[in-house]
Amino acid sequence: MIEVIGLNKTFGNKHVLQGIDFTINKGMCNLVIGQSGSGKSVFLKSVVGLHPVDQGQILYDGRDLTKLKHNQLKALRKEIGMVFQGGALFNSSTVEENIKYPMDVFTKWSKKEKQDRIDFCLDRVNIQNSNHLYPSEISGGMQKRVAIARAIALNPKYLFFDEPNSGLDPVTAIVIDDLIQEITKEFNITTMVITHDMNSVMEIGENIMFVYQGNKWWEGNKSMIFKTDNTELNNFVFASDLFKAIKTQVS
Amino acid sequence: MKLLFHIGQFGILMKRVFSKPDNHKVLFRNMLKEMDKLGLGSISIIMIITFFMGAVVAIQTALNLESPFVPDKIVGFTTRDSIILEFSSTVTAVILAGIIGSNISSEIGNMRISEQLDAMEIMGVNSAGSIILPKILALFIMMPFLVIIAMVVGISGGFFATLSVDSVSVQNYIEGLQWDFMPYKVFYSLIKSNVFAIIITSVSSYHGFFVKGGALEVGKASTRGVIYSIILILMANLFITYLMLT
């Protein structure tokens, strides 16, 4: 479990995150939603320690990330897996080398053990016969799946996704959503997903935080979204005619 | 103020670069790859450039110092010293700053904007150490070899040039090459090459590592990396020359 308490972050005069509290539960898909520029990506990068925070606590099972020493932070990061918006695969390495990289750096596994783990991870994300292809030679959806395979290579306790469905067609997006949910349940991982894709919200949103202008505006789950009278959330979630129609039908 | 900021940021980056590697085996493997890419990949261009430079120096010396008061072997002597003291190390370094420096800046800059460096940090990998250190070590090791090759090829270029110039005989050129030879000058040139190798790799890496924005900024960073590398090479050249030759 990750507890975020009173998180504040400013860039110059801009107060991007204004005292956000959020609990990221274990074995559950925790979603952070919000409009572009609302601060959700900054929130994610602060939680994983890529942005230093100005104020607040980020407790990884009781360990405060903001107070960890260099070596402790390094140790914690080995428990974290992250899938970036663009995949962030090493583009001069093959699919297999990408997944092997964290194993090479942090484990003393034999060649066979590494190969077994690579095969397991690729199999888990349903990728076959692409081990020796470069990221530029595979589709966007496959790149995301390889990024997930790399993120789970060392059995992380915490998994983060930054807009995993951006740039994907609806069918592939559902595949990725299902994969996120399956992996979270199967390995009992603490997962956090940043998204503004409403399909993802309806598909995997078990614990959702809506960020609005740097504040936590609403918290709940996907079924509660239909009943809320929060104006900003309704404006955001039910912006499209399709979702307006769904809401009308549900109500 | 901006200069101080950059010096400070460069210092912090170098501290990260030279901190204990995450995995020595991976570092060694990456270093070998970089030695191949940065070192062996530059041999052909260095051979071509220094061959023609040696030839031009020999011809110009022969034409400009044609006098009954100047011994004919001066051509070999001048070509040898010019190549060993400056052309093999400084000019080669300036050329490599252009070729390798821009390559390093754009490679690291692209890794920055595509979040590959962030991905490494999230894994707990010291991105600066694992990307920049192998490059610095690789060029540090390879540069003296490149300079020795440049010396041999440059002097050979002068030799072939003398074949086309009537005023200097091959015999005189070879005599000039051996005249008053000081091995210390080779040592001085090799030391310079090591310093230049560190400048090229670290300065170019610095400009790539802190890129913000997109492809356009990567291009700008690459240009900045080359410019600052060349300026620092020329400054270091002056400093080392004062230190070792005066």
Side-chain angles (χ1 to χ4, degrees), chain B residues 55-121:
Chain B
V56 169
V57 170
I59 292 171
Q60 286 190 351
T61 311
L63 296 177
N64 288 310
L65 295 180
E66 203 173 5
S67 157
F69 301 107
V70 178
D72 286 344
K73 61 185 176 186
I74 197 78
V75 176
F77 173 81
T78 310
T79 306
R80 183 201 69 203
D81 271 10
S82 309
I83 293 287
I84 289 178
L85 289 170
E86 282 308 309
F87 288 105
S88 65
S89 50
T90 313
V91 176
T92 300
V94 168
I95 292 162
L96 286 182
I99 302 167
I100 293 176
S102 61
N103 182 306
I104 291 173
S105 296
S106 53
E107 180 192 331
I108 297 177
N110 270 314
M111 289 183 81
R112 167 64 70 203
I113 62 166
S114 61
E115 295 182 311
Q116 291 174 51
L117 296 178
D118 286 342
M120 292 174 98
E121 290 293 332

Side-chain angles (χ1 to χ4, degrees), chain A residues 187-201:
Chain A
F187 303 112
N188 198 22
I189 298 174
T190 304
T191 301
M192 183 170 104
V193 182
I194 300 289
T195 187
H196 47 58
D197 179 5
M198 281 312 113
N199 291 316
S200 293
V201 173

Side-chain angles (χ1 to χ4, degrees), chain B residues 44-55:
Chain B
S44 52
I45 185 74
I46 283 176
M47 285 176 76
I48 293 167
I49 289 166
T50 48
F51 180 86
F52 288 106
M53 274 193 312

Side-chain angles (χ1 to χ4, degrees), chain B residues 14-32:
Chain B
M14 287 303 117
K15 194 182 160 212
R16 286 184 61 196
V17 167
F18 290 101
S19 61
K20 194 177 165 230
D22 293 307
N23 187 317
H24 288 89
K25 237 185 192 174
V26 174
L27 171 69
F28 184 70
R29 202 175 57 204
N30 288 343
M31 190 186 77
L32 291 181

